[in-house]
Amino acid sequence: MTTSDITTTLAQPSRRQLHIRRGRLTCISGPDSGQSWLVDHDILKIGSLKESNIVLSDSAVSRLHAEVRRTPEGVLLVDAGSTNGTFVGPIRVREVFLTPETQFRVGETELVFTPADEVIEITPSEKSELDSMVGHATTMREMFSIIERVAPTDLTVLVTGETGTGKELASRALHNLSPRKGGLLRVFDCGAAPATLIEAELFGHEKGAFTGATHAREGVFEQADRGTLFLDEIGELPLELQPKLLRVLEQREVRRVGSGRIRPVDVRVVAATNRNLREEVEAGRFREDLYYRLAVVELELPPLRQRLEDLNLLIQHLLKRASARCGGKRVEGVDDDVMALFQSYHWPGNVRELNNVLERAVPFTDTSIVSLDALPEALRTSQVSPELGLASSPELATTASVADMPFKDAKERLIEAFERQYLLDLIERNGGNVSRAARAADMDRKSITRLLKKHGIR
């Protein structure tokens, strides 16, 4: 079975359907007869414990009696070591795949699991804003419609797209529009934490678990209990840690580093990456079963160059925010020359780069309209090559423009122009993936990130 068989990819213009995998569990005999539960979880826990997804009052049911699991191969019923067993007909089972309408018994309670999958036709939302996201392009309004459908569920979501397209904003919208909005949204960047500390950051640790662990600490899963956990740059998670993350996604339990105690967590997970995880799976760098757990719903955010009709709307939105950060200075738009430059520019850093350019321009704008003079010089002197999708600076091609400058100033300008062009080319060649770009440049990821911010690219 290939990865394309086990997940539904959304937000491509040619695909206007959302497939939501759900199930319904109905009690047909026993103390809870007549009750029915619609469930979004990939792992459905059945038992007498209040932490179970399905809590049964039957005294013959164990605390954790059984689980119903969605797998790439089908829906699997698993006995969890119960005292009185799990039965399909007269046969006691440890594991069995369920067909639609299969009846099974736990204790004295008989249940039936029915797939309740939904295939929803996606029509673009009438809104041009959703939470803190803006866009009137069809691809964005389809995205808004999908988020509104998925947010009220507990489905795990994988958000993909180039760097700077707004993956964290999408995760915040999923949280803020969900029943979990009263809980915390925790953000964890899998590419920023040292590999040796990722496990402790995710799952927590006990005092003395390793050198420097002077006290016990919760991990982000525990911190996000009853809320949402956003796992950014999930494609950077080391392969050796992926089985541990998979176990938490399946069991919704964590064990801190240095502890033998299992702690249940009630967390909705949203992950994001600018990598193509299908390719990573095929290359053996990402586990297929983990990809399956993460990509229950997959949202792909379009790059800015594919939604240039949103430029004016984005400029208005970002300038309003940038003006508020500059003491309420009123800057309301850009002049025609700036808009023409923006329309022809490739935007390798996407909306984040646009935001950085505008934030830097506001303090240098004397009127309510941004002019070319207020833009960073490296962008202002850029000439865009549509064929290459890159910006090249005239100073790199000729020394005529700097010949009359003092040596120090000329050197600084040439270095600035070189850095920006090199970064634009580097990011473009590596598909917007900062970690991959850092490896290609033989540089530390933090150094690349610092330079990208310096030049307003992200």
Side-chain angles (χ1 to χ4, degrees), residues 319-369:
L319 278 176
K320 184 177 180 180
R321 189 170 63 182
S323 296
R325 292 176 178 174
C326 289
K329 185 177 184 178
R330 287 190 67 183
V331 180
E332 299 173 345
V334 302
D335 67 21
D336 292 343
D337 290 338
V338 172
M339 182 59 79
L341 175 61
F342 284 1
Q343 289 280 358
S344 62
Y345 186 54
H346 190 60
W347 297 111
N350 292 293
V351 179
R352 183 186 290 127
E353 183 179 3
L354 174 63
N355 179 61
N356 289 345
V357 167
L358 293 173
E359 281 196 343
R360 293 173 63 177
V362 167
F364 298 98
T365 300
D366 296 325
T367 67
S368 61
I369 301 296

Side-chain angles (χ1 to χ4, degrees), residues 98-102 112-115:
L98 298 176
T99 57
E101 308 301 330
T102 299
V112 60
F113 180 80
T114 307

Side-chain angles (χ1 to χ4, degrees), residues 3 27 32 89 120 149 168 176 302 310 314 341 379 381 413:
T3 53
C27 181
D32 302 292
I120 302 169
R149 289 279 193 169
E168 184 170 342
N176 292 336
D310 284 341
L314 285 166
L341 175 61
L379 179 63
T381 58
R413 177 173 292 190

Side-chain angles (χ1 to χ4, degrees), residues 27 55 84 104 110 121 145 165 170 182 185 187 238 266 317 381 402 434:
C27 181
V55 181
N84 294 317
F104 62 94
E110 196 164 8
E121 296 295 324
S145 181
T165 49
L185 171 64
V187 179
D266 176 14
H317 176 75
T381 58
V402 296
V434 178

